Amino acid sequence: MNEAILRTLLEQVRSGELAVDGAVDRLRLMPLRDLGEAVLDTHRELRRGQPEVIYCAEKTVAQVRMIFAALLEGDSDILATRVPPAMAEALMADYPQIRHNPLARTLVIQRRERTLTETTIAIVTAGASDQSVAEEAAETARVFGNRTERINDVGVAGLHRLLARLDAIRSARVLIVVAGMEGALASVVAGLTARPVIAVPTSVGYGANFHGLSALLGMLTSCAGGVGVVNIDNGFGAACLASMINQL
Amino acid sequence: MNEAILRTLLEQVRSGELAVDGAVDRLRLMPLRDLGEAVLDTHRELRRGQPEVIYCAEKTVAQVRMIFAALLEGDSDILATRVPPAMAEALMADYPQIRHNPLARTLVIQRRERTLTETTIAIVTAGASDQSVAEEAAETARVFGNRTERINDVGVAGLHRLLARLDAIRSARVLIVVAGMEGALASVVAGLTARPVIAVPTSVGYGANFHGLSALLGMLTSCAGGVGVVNIDNGFGAACLASMINQL
Amino acid sequence: MNEAILRTLLEQVRSGELAVDGAVDRLRLMPLRDLGEAVLDTHRELRRGQPEVIYCAEKTVAQVRMIFAALLEGDSDILATRVPPAMAEALMADYPQIRHNPLARTLVIQRRERTLTETTIAIVTAGASDQSVAEEAAETARVFGNRTERINDVGVAGLHRLLARLDAIRSARVLIVVAGMEGALASVVAGLTARPVIAVPTSVGYGANFHGLSALLGMLTSCAGGVGVVNIDNGFGAACLASMINQL
Amino acid sequence: MNEAILRTLLEQVRSGELAVDGAVDRLRLMPLRDLGEAVLDTHRELRRGQPEVIYCAEKTVAQVRMIFAALLEGDSDILATRVPPAMAEALMADYPQIRHNPLARTLVIQRRERTLTETTIAIVTAGASDQSVAEEAAETARVFGNRTERINDVGVAGLHRLLARLDAIRSARVLIVVAGMEGALASVVAGLTARPVIAVPTSVGYGANFHGLSALLGMLTSCAGGVGVVNIDNGFGAACLASMINQL
Amino acid sequence: MNEAILRTLLEQVRSGELAVDGAVDRLRLMPLRDLGEAVLDTHRELRRGQPEVIYCAEKTVAQVRMIFAALLEGDSDILATRVPPAMAEALMADYPQIRHNPLARTLVIQRRERTLTETTIAIVTAGASDQSVAEEAAETARVFGNRTERINDVGVAGLHRLLARLDAIRSARVLIVVAGMEGALASVVAGLTARPVIAVPTSVGYGANFHGLSALLGMLTSCAGGVGVVNIDNGFGAACLASMINQL
Amino acid sequence: MNEAILRTLLEQVRSGELAVDGAVDRLRLMPLRDLGEAVLDTHRELRRGQPEVIYCAEKTVAQVRMIFAALLEGDSDILATRVPPAMAEALMADYPQIRHNPLARTLVIQRRERTLTETTIAIVTAGASDQSVAEEAAETARVFGNRTERINDVGVAGLHRLLARLDAIRSARVLIVVAGMEGALASVVAGLTARPVIAVPTSVGYGANFHGLSALLGMLTSCAGGVGVVNIDNGFGAACLASMINQL
Amino acid sequence: MNEAILRTLLEQVRSGELAVDGAVDRLRLMPLRDLGEAVLDTHRELRRGQPEVIYCAEKTVAQVRMIFAALLEGDSDILATRVPPAMAEALMADYPQIRHNPLARTLVIQRRERTLTETTIAIVTAGASDQSVAEEAAETARVFGNRTERINDVGVAGLHRLLARLDAIRSARVLIVVAGMEGALASVVAGLTARPVIAVPTSVGYGANFHGLSALLGMLTSCAGGVGVVNIDNGFGAACLASMINQL
Amino acid sequence: MNEAILRTLLEQVRSGELAVDGAVDRLRLMPLRDLGEAVLDTHRELRRGQPEVIYCAEKTVAQVRMIFAALLEGDSDILATRVPPAMAEALMADYPQIRHNPLARTLVIQRRERTLTETTIAIVTAGASDQSVAEEAAETARVFGNRTERINDVGVAGLHRLLARLDAIRSARVLIVVAGMEGALASVVAGLTARPVIAVPTSVGYGANFHGLSALLGMLTSCAGGVGVVNIDNGFGAACLASMINQL
């Protein structure tokens, strides 16, 4: 459409219908929106083939239903995150092809064949209570086309459990470390590998945990180099970043 | 320059030297910067005639000197804020035409005749210790072409002082209220006028003031409608906003 | 009433019934309330014609019912904000003429003809989750007599959406920017216009959002001049201030 | 009882039954509790005649029932604070003589005749939403034997309402100021009187109020002298302190 | 002066020079300041005889000099607080009659004979490091005409030191408790007396003290009734309030 | 098992079946886990005989059931903490031998005879509302084999209650002090004994308590030496540490 | 002295000089101080032989000089902490026998022969920057009579350094872990030993370290049991507690 | 060395000199350090060839001198960060081959030839005041062998400057975004590229910036996916992580 306008204008210049000065003026006044989208689309282009993502936490079932319907007109995969149980049920009734991961609180509709990456994103958790966030990360990473490996329950108070998984840690191309409380696992893992570590503080804990603040600050001030931190409980964001890195 | 490129391209289209398709391609690939600036200049245009502003707090004398030299090649007025005493002295030695306001920590080079607005920005302070921030606001407002009126030392613990200035308060088109400690003055003034109030919390105080946090939170939760808050000690920002409003 | 007392007193002075000294004494002793209201009424006078506003968040249905009944004895418009669903239903049963906006959580009784302003308040939101706060702002702005324009879902992570609405942004007389998470939209919008921007941080988000703190701090420290900030989620307050500015 | 032991010991000394050395030893070893209570009782003595107070917030109905039963064996008045509705109902079924104040969330059993003080504690509130805390203060003050006066809804955004109550403010011997949001009322009231002001921040509000933090910090940094602050929402504590002062 | 205007007006009414309606209008428009001051002066009257106070923390020597000169034209006593050493020296050179208390950081010029109160304000400190704040409180209390008693170094970690001063604690009419770190002394003292306790948290300490926050929160949440808290390190404010109470 | 592998390998070396070089290689490649556990087992060895502990706060009934089943295959005692009522009921239905302490929110299955220590852990509480945390500490201490003594309701606002229990305080080998609000009890108790004090801040309170922050900061900045602090409400952790100390 | 008074009184009772009733009265009125000190001295008795400690951070050289002079009249050892360099020099000039540890910022005068404990306090640090705090702990522990072992620079980002010191870690009777940034070392060490761990967060770091807050919160929420935390940078307090435990 | 011990042991087993049981025992007791280092060395191996890094912020000149001397015995490159000016001068006097970057506060000794990566790390800054942190990141990235590109002064308040550098932004393999105040630049840049973005909040600003907190929270809650955050002002850490990613 924009292109049509542009083409018409240029043809008018060529035909002499429009003077050069007039064309300069019109091009300068041409709404940025149109040019902007043209240019910026190269960006969207890059995303083509990636799943569409719906963050459901502050939406109603009706809103999410509407978005699903719209997205299903396209052909990309769909990932919905932070889906409350009731919303999940409602959507599964609508779309039997949905894959629901209740622990991760995700819904997935996979419509394309996807070859997983050769390289692996390792998802490391400190304790059983971090599983929900790790599962969100794992589900996201897989939907984005990455091979994943889970290394669970290797909190630093029992180092032998962590050291026992050293091979798995070292063979990953990028690692997501999910930990609550003092979040020390990120530092320890980063010290054991030369690969990028994405740290996800979780809100698991109580008292001086202050809803994840202790793990967040701990991870940000990690004494080990090479740790990037995402928001508290943000398994999805960690997987986004890890996927970008893994697919470089 | 951009225009030159654009003009050349269009002339090539007109002359047939360049096909329409090729021109469309080149226009799409033409660095956004050039088009962008063309379009966005309408914005900068609006600013034309406004002083250039230099925030000096984290710059060296050498850096600021360089910026002054560059700006003086243009013809706009120049306002430098947060100028430390030593930097002020150095620049005054270079440019005798500089107006230095040590309380406001500003330097001004005024090169254009400016008719002040008919309407007034009132700058209201709670106590003597808020004068530095108020002075920065006043200097900024004047350099931006606004008539100002000062209403000083009318903290809420002595209401009669405030009520005695009611006429001045009510005759302003927009008000800047500068107050530290509990910042209550903003609420009280906003309750006495129907004009917009820009509140500037100051870091004046100690202890539970927490460097301006008490006044900041107090102003944000003001029980009076119509109060917009800027950053702690940000006299400049308050005057920017007040000037925009006053000159509507 | 006060005027009646005053008039009687003055007539007694004129008739000689009351000596000047006695009148001076009585005037000095006359309860401040009466004189106060007389004087201060010039303030209330200014508000005449403006809707009465009821903040319902911490009130019972019974209390709000009583206030509605009292206000309906006057003839001004009525705006109730932060109305919980059950309270809304109860009041709609009482007053069929109420206009309920469930997303904005407002109730309105409009009794006067109002010509909307020529100029526009633009209400810009970053994401779908900011709609409730934006809707409160929009409803308030309209009840206060302002033309409004909505610019939705133009978060800074997809700049092309924002740039596509550049015309709407630049044609507004004052802008309200509603954004959660990092609140970056306020800075970006303020950089694109020379008009006053009222920024409303929202509590949308989780983790390091800390119930709106991230957006609040981001907006207060905006690198763009001309941004005034109101309390987290305070769509009503933003519209009050924007209305004052728009109607200058 | 302690006295009995002591008396016996001394009589044994007098009768020669117990040597002085042995008595010294026994007195030194005599559990501190007994001597301690003897000495410290002068303190408790001072409290004699004051109501017993039960803070019910973190107790079960069963626990509170047990405490009531125990206290009713004495003859002092009883004040229960922070009583949830269900607990109130349960206790009222047990003790028909209970006076329940649902807004204050208090239960009172008054068993003594009490002459109220001549002087008055004024309880001043900023808005309707502060009533619950103010009511707790008022109920407490009355049960402790003080005359009280309520000055309601005089928030600083409408100064004329406050000034209209100037006489009442100035005739109180001590004032309790209850205010949420920016808590500015405490400063303004303290500026209008030379009497002690006890400030109670309330958690009324949202966003940057941070559950009463804004009012708390505002009151602590009040620019007016003579303001003592108690915990957020602590109407009871404010009344305790005000009662001590009023009864000096 | 105001009275002169008022008298003239009323005489014009009596003489018929001014119609009643005109007088009503003029009275309504008469600047509030004049009426306001007339009324509000009753307040200032109450303060007559009290020392004037200058808070020097954010003022220059020149500013404080000017204020001293102005105040010395009156005849009230003068108290300057938070006086830095250099400022103190400068003013002592000007006014040999100044009393300088370097620990309290106060300057006093006493010009009236003052009979101290019969009753006593006890000033209790936890440790040697709280002396500066306590000294400010003591100096203020004395200048305001109160008898004071110091109870030093009775921190709760050595209860016997505190209990040894029980008589002094119980014979005070009002107590100021100055304590840093955990601020526990306020609770313990309040439990030992039935008199009002004004608690001053100090910024003494390090680490989790967070510049006085630990003591501030501790005092606000004191488990003992009858504790009013002032700002961190605010010895002056505590003495103001204590003086008001002591002189009731 | 690891030992079996190791032994086989060494026997192969002895028999010549495996060359020294090959054995070195295999030993170096032998999963760290196995060597690690071998070495680290000396640690686990120390724990042998100690109960297994399950933190139930963020687990489902199904998860906890599974863990119980697994642990019951061993023969150690089992302690479950933070057990919600419904989970407790479900498990008690499964295992009639469970001892449920609803106040402590613990479940215990005791399968070994345990002689309690001679020495005592004293558990001291400030008020009735701290009982739940204290009970968790007591239950834990007992399951870990310690004699305990409870010293309840000795908050510092009534010192005589505390002093009356001086003997009990001084005869403990280690003390756990549980207190909310200002947490002053830890300092006072530490001043009365020369034994280690483990302080547990509780979240009991409201307002400036900030969910236990006031007690936490107060205990960390205690003016008494010899106080170690654990997380807010962490009765279990305090008892772990106290048990380690008591059993040295 | 107290005993003398007591003895006299009892002898008067025996001789009949004083009636039993009179003696009861006098005993009840006998200043608590005297009895109190008598009783409480048993506590001080326990401390006999321990060094006297002076916290110098907020004291002047003159004050510390006076305290030294007073303490030297006794015969106990003296430990001064947080001694600024200039103060250290001044005191070393006075007392050549002083041992100055500039890294620990301590001064020691040792006057008694002390046999060190058989058992060891291990002091473990994460990095070179934690040495000053660790040194304060070590100096304190030694002056209190404990054998110490230093395990330096074993931060968790290089686990092999820590594991290499496993024997030293496991042979200590109690451990002090000093770490800044994320403070993870405390959790890891606690997981490697069954002995009590005293954790000292340090203010080493910048940014999200927030002056030690990150390490403090991390240590408080440690996922390993048996960790007691002291104030940020409080090496002295950690050693006090460790010494109490080590000498049980 | 470890291998030698191991080999000897195994040879003794083969020769029968050592029984299998004895070898098992010795292997189990063999200090973990030796085995540990053997295993963990694979990790250090990975780092071989990387520069050694010294964080100088909390070290003395003497300490850093010693570390330099030690490192120069090896042959790796050396990077010193956070070097104060005086320390830089001292070391440059010692080692003329040092490259000093005063803005970055780094010292570098480069001893190996290094081919820079083909791909580029883009370092994007919001304003002139962020240059120091960006320079630290750039210096670090280069020393670690990466090609870098600087995109300066493209703060979001002037979008056209940012859009003008779109090509550079999109051609980077990984981006470091350095921004203070509201930190919005990270979100905007992440929305313009599909590459990983490492966000560095800076402490540039004042007031509600709270030493970098505003930018930190803003970046953590970024509405754009694929953003990893490091500590405030941590240019070095960002470059470490970016280098790991760039060299995957």
Side-chain angles (χ1 to χ4, degrees), chain G residues 47-113:
Chain G
R47 289 216 295 238
R48 194 135 318 154
Q50 280 210 347
E52 297 282 347
V53 182
I54 315 164
Y55 172 72
C56 300
E58 330 227 4
K59 299 202 178 67
T60 62
V61 171
Q63 286 176 308
V64 173
R65 243 185 200 131
M66 207 177 62
I67 301 175
F68 259 84
L71 292 179
L72 283 167
E73 292 175 14
D75 67 347
S76 62
D77 296 340
I78 301 172
L79 168 64
T81 64
R82 306 269 168 142
V83 188
M87 186 186 283
E89 267 177 51
L91 284 158
M92 288 164 77
D94 295 358
Y95 304 105
Q97 73 270 39
I98 277 184
R99 185 173 78 232
H100 181 216
N101 183 331
L103 185 55
R105 292 173 298 165
T106 54
L107 297 178
V108 174
I109 294 183
Q110 196 122 16
R111 294 188 290 177
R112 297 155 170 256
E113 287 297 307

Side-chain angles (χ1 to χ4, degrees), chain E residues 155-159 182 184 188, chain F residues 122-126 151-156 159 161-163 165-166 168-172 174-179 183-199 219 222-227, chain G residues 40 43 46-47 244:
Chain E
V156 300
L159 269 192
E182 83 279 59
V188 173
Chain F
I123 300 170
V124 190
T125 59
I151 303 175
N152 283 333
D153 218 8
V154 292
V156 299
L159 271 192
R161 295 177 303 181
L162 177 63
L163 295 179
R165 303 298 305 277
L166 206 50
I169 286 169
R170 290 202 172 141
S171 61
V174 49
L175 299 101
I176 294 172
V177 176
V178 182
L185 187 58
S187 295
V188 173
V189 167
L192 293 173
T193 172
R195 299 300 189 184
V197 169
I198 313 303
M219 285 165 166
S222 170
C223 55
V227 178
Chain G
L40 294 171
H43 173 218
L46 289 168
R47 289 216 295 238
M244 281 182 186

Side-chain angles (χ1 to χ4, degrees), chain F residues 70-162:
Chain F
L71 292 179
L72 283 167
E73 290 176 13
D75 66 346
S76 62
D77 296 340
I78 300 172
L79 168 65
T81 64
R82 307 268 168 143
V83 187
M87 185 186 285
E89 267 178 51
L91 284 157
M92 288 164 76
D94 295 359
Y95 304 104
Q97 74 268 40
I98 276 185
R99 183 173 81 233
H100 181 216
N101 182 333
L103 186 54
R105 290 172 300 163
T106 54
L107 297 178
V108 174
I109 295 183
Q110 196 122 16
R111 294 188 289 177
R112 296 156 170 256
E113 287 297 308
R114 222 175 249 282
T115 318
L116 294 187
T117 54
E118 289 297 307
T119 53
T120 302
I121 298 175
I123 300 170
V124 190
T125 59
S129 322
D130 303 312
Q131 289 314 317
S132 173
V133 173
E135 198 65 29
E136 187 189 69
E139 191 71 62
T140 302
R142 280 191 299 264
V143 176
F144 278 67
N146 301 278
R147 190 175 306 278
T148 60
E149 169 146 21
R150 302 294 296 276
I151 303 175
N152 283 333
D153 218 8
V154 292
V156 299
L159 271 192
H160 56 285
R161 295 177 303 181
L162 177 63

Side-chain angles (χ1 to χ4, degrees), chain F residues 3 6-7 9-11 13-14 16 18-21 23-24 27-28 32 35 38-41, chain H residues 3 6-7 9-11 13-14 16 18-21 23-24 27-28 30 32 35 38-40:
Chain F
E3 199 172 315
L6 192 56
R7 189 176 300 273
L9 183 147
L10 289 168
E11 274 164 1
V13 170
R14 193 172 59 170
L18 184 65
V20 165
D21 276 8
V24 167
L27 275 169
R28 295 187 71 183
L32 179 65
L35 289 179
V39 174
L40 294 172
D41 253 349
Chain H
E3 199 172 315
L6 191 57
R7 190 175 301 272
L9 183 147
L10 289 168
E11 274 162 2
V13 170
R14 192 172 58 171
L18 185 65
V20 165
D21 275 8
V24 166
L27 276 168
R28 294 187 73 183
M30 180 172 284
L32 178 64
L35 288 178
V39 174
L40 294 172

Side-chain angles (χ1 to χ4, degrees), chain A residues 3 7 13-14 21 28, chain B residues 3 7 13-14 21 28:
Chain A
E3 201 172 313
R7 190 176 299 274
V13 170
R14 193 172 59 172
D21 276 6
R28 293 185 75 182
Chain B
E3 200 172 313
R7 190 175 300 273
V13 170
R14 194 173 57 170
D21 277 8
R28 295 188 73 183

